Every structure is written in C-alpha cells, then in structure tokens.
Amino acid sequence: MGRLNELRLISRVAQMYHIEHKRQAEIAQHLRLSQATVSRMLKRAEAEDIVRTTVIPPAGTYIDLESALRERFNLPEAIVVDCSEDRDGAIMARIGEAAAHLMEVSLAQGEIIGVSSWSQTIFKMVENIHPLKSAQVKYVVQTLGGMGDPSVQTHATQLTTRLARLTGAEPKLLPVQGVTTSREAKLLMMSDPFVRDTIDLFGSITLAIVGIGAVEPSELLARSGNIFSARELADLSDAGAVGDISLRFFDQQGNLVKTPLDERVIGISLEDLSKVERVVALAGGREKTSAIAGALRTGVIDMLVTDKFTAERLIREGQSIIRPE
C-alpha cells in the first residue's frame, strides 16, 4: 500500500500542475510539500507513465514525413508544407510562404545572410516576408554572380536588395556573371574591389538560403545566361552529377562532382557552404527529386523546406540507397 499511496500523491501533484495549471510553488504550499519534492514528483509522474505527452498535429502539417526525412537523410531539420497540386508553380508558392515565416521568427540580431540569386522559390520567400522590426540583420550577401540577360537580371538584384530592405540589412551584391567564359575571365572579374568585398564576406555568413537545381537548368537560370553549354551539361551528367547548389554539382551519393567547369563559377563553394552555421534549402518538384536527395547527402544542408509530394518521393528514393555514415 505504501507505493500506491505514493503514486496517489504523485497523481494529485500532476493533476494540479497539468490540468489545474497551478505553479509548483502553489502546489507545494497547498499540499504542504517542499517545492523540490513537487519537482521530483512531476518527473516521477512521467517515469511512472502517469503523465503522457501526446502531440496531435493539426491538419495540413506532416510531422511523420518530417521525421522520416530527418531519419532517412540524417538531416537536422525538415519542414514539409501542404500543397494542393504536385505542380512547380504551386509548390514554389507554398514553400516560399513557409520559408518566409521561418525567417520572420528565427532571424537573430547581427545575422549575415547569404542568398542564392537565381532561385524562383527564394524569390517567392522574399515576396512573403513582412518588414521585420526586431531583428536587425547586418548584411544580405549575394552568393552567386547576378549579372546576366538584362530581361531577367533585375530578378537577382531585386532578390538581394529587397531581402536586405525587409530585414534592415545592407545588401552586398555580386555584380558579375555566375558563369564566366574562362578561368582567366573569372580571375579578372574577381580582382574588382567591389566583387572582392562581397566574396570576402562568404566566410562570415551565419545563415545561407539556397535553392537546389537539377543538372538541366531552370527556366530562369537558362534565360539569365548563367549556364553551361548543352555539351558541358552532358559531360556533367556523364560524370555522375544529379544536381547543383549555386552551380556546384554533386552526385546521387552527395559527393562533389569536380570538373574544370567549376573554375568558371563565381559564387560560394560547397566547401565554404559546409562551414556556414545554418544552411536552409528551399526546393520541391518532381523533376528535382533526385537532385534534392543528392543535396541532402552532401551533409551541407541543415534544414530542408519542401512540399508533401516531394517529401514522399524523397523517402521512397532514400530507401533504395544506403545513406553515407
């Protein structure tokens, strides 16, 4: 009977705390117990299975898919958003909305944000961010060259400058091409002091927001002119590449695919990106599934924001390939 009496008192303490919402000090005074005893009893209530925690996710949230992604790809965090259609436009819109909310609630004082400049999904995120009052970001740094076809070049510049304005930051633009004609042209462009000033900030980025691309470039990137030739893209595929982050390519297992083409890209490398404290990838869509899976296996990404259709495909695909230790 002694144990039963003990459990009865523990149950009463748990009832007062969890159901009647009384503070521990109030419970201690009411039952003539010390506050340390009340604290110990609340811990015992969980250990004895008197108190059980149940999380009931609201409709439109997918904690099981998020858990499966974290487990399957050894991913620190994942956000899976609801989407009514498995269509790129709808997917980008929903991912952008979720990423905007994430930025609004998680940006810290003095943050230095690195942002990939040729991502329609990231642009959707920026469109949905409300001006922030509390977080004062220091810099928004463009991490891939933003010059290209004049008809779409404003996209890259607007993305960086608008995000800077919304977060109270100073924009740091990269006013050069993302893909140069030669290694020599790249070295010449990088000698410009304004370009050097931005690149020198890559090592100070605390939050990087990146897109994930398939080897076949997106419509926006293709229109910008910051792409390799069809022959060069075919060579990348032959070398095992399945996708890229800021025009740095990787294979299905997440290994970097290094070719001479890499020396023509002006932007952050995956090696530098891996040193950033928090890397958030925004990506979804049927055509990008293999690329996203490969990107997750690079070990560079800390959080993926994707849609439910893509998440389901990623989990199925992840089952067929052993994750690297």
Side-chain angles (χ1 to χ4, degrees):
M1 292 297 292
R3 173 171 165 75
L4 188 59
N5 289 328
E6 182 183 23
L7 293 178
R8 183 182 294 110
L9 183 56
I10 290 172
S11 297
R12 175 58 181 146
V13 168
Q15 179 188 40
M16 294 177 71
Y17 184 77
H18 292 286
I19 298 176
E20 299 174 14
H21 305 295
K22 296 186 182 298
R23 299 192 306 273
Q24 291 188 30
E26 292 179 279
I27 298 170
Q29 183 178 14
H30 181 77
L31 296 177
R32 300 297 189 270
L33 302 170
S34 72
Q35 195 164 333
T37 298
V38 170
S39 179
R40 283 196 299 271
M41 285 185 171
L42 289 172
K43 291 178 182 177
R44 278 283 305 280
E46 293 187 24
E48 296 284 355
D49 217 20
I50 294 168
V51 172
R52 304 176 187 179
T53 302
T54 302
V55 177
I56 303 174
T61 63
Y62 300 93
I63 64 171
D64 290 341
L65 286 176
E66 292 167 352
S67 296
L69 285 174
R70 291 195 298 269
E71 170 62 25
R72 185 69 61 192
F73 294 98
N74 196 24
L75 180 66
E77 198 53 66
I79 293 176
V80 175
V81 302
D82 196 16
C83 192
S84 59
E85 301 177 76
D86 192 4
R87 181 176 55 82
D88 287 352
I91 286 170
M92 286 189 289
R94 299 291 84 77
I95 292 175
E97 291 168 1
H101 177 262
L102 175 69
M103 293 299 106
E104 290 173 0
V105 301
S106 68
L107 287 177
Q109 190 80 14
E111 198 102 68
I112 297 178
I113 302 174
V115 62
S116 181
S117 52
W118 295 106
S119 168
Q120 290 170 290
T121 309
I122 295 176
F123 196 75
K124 290 292 184 183
M125 179 198 77
V126 174
E127 284 185 328
N128 282 280
I129 291 178
H130 298 93
L132 303 184
K133 297 177 182 178
S134 55
Q136 188 72 27
V137 173
K138 190 172 183 180
Y139 298 119
V140 171
V141 182
Q142 190 172 327
T143 56
L144 179 64
M147 286 184 66
D149 188 305
S151 66
V152 293
Q153 183 178 315
T154 52
H155 177 284
T157 304
Q158 284 180 357
L159 191 156
T160 305
T161 56
R162 186 174 179 183
L163 181 58
R165 185 172 67 252
L166 290 167
T167 57
E170 179 184 346
K172 289 290 186 177
L173 300 175
L174 200 52
V176 288
Q177 293 171 307
V179 177
T180 62
T181 54
S182 65
R183 181 176 180 275
E184 291 70 27
K186 172 183 173 178
L187 294 174
L188 182 61
M189 292 180 187
M190 288 179 62
S191 67
D192 181 280
F194 293 103
V195 174
R196 193 74 253 164
D197 184 47
T198 297
I199 290 175
D200 286 345
L201 285 171
F202 286 178
S204 302
I205 292 170
T206 58
L207 166 63
I209 306 166
V210 301
I212 298 171
V215 174
E216 187 67 27
S218 68
E219 179 188 351
L220 179 69
L221 195 58
R223 287 171 59 202
S224 78
N226 287 292
I227 57 172
F228 299 111
S229 69
R231 178 61 193 169
E232 289 167 336
L233 292 173
D235 289 343
L236 281 166
S237 293
D238 291 343
V242 295
D244 78 283
I245 297 174
S246 296
L247 296 178
R248 308 297 187 176
F249 291 85
F250 46 80
D251 65 17
Q252 195 174 37
Q253 282 74 32
N255 303 309
L256 303 188
V257 176
K258 285 278 210 178
T259 73
L261 303 179
D262 206 52
E263 297 182 359
R264 289 166 45 200
V265 176
I266 300 182
I268 195 166
S269 67
L270 290 186
E271 292 91 340
D272 286 341
L273 201 59
S274 69
K275 298 172 186 175
V276 175
E277 181 181 343
R278 185 164 57 128
V279 178
V280 179
L282 315 184
R286 186 179 300 276
E287 300 303 318
K288 289 188 177 182
T289 304
S290 293
I292 297 169
L296 294 178
R297 295 187 185 101
T298 65
V300 168
I301 295 168
D302 299 296
M303 176 184 285
L304 172 69
V305 185
T306 192
D307 64 281
K308 66 177 184 179
F309 301 110
T310 303
E312 290 168 351
R313 285 191 292 267
L314 285 168
I315 292 163
R316 289 196 299 270
E317 179 165 328
Q319 290 171 343
S320 63
I321 296 178
I322 298 174
R323 186 174 67 246
E325 297 298 329

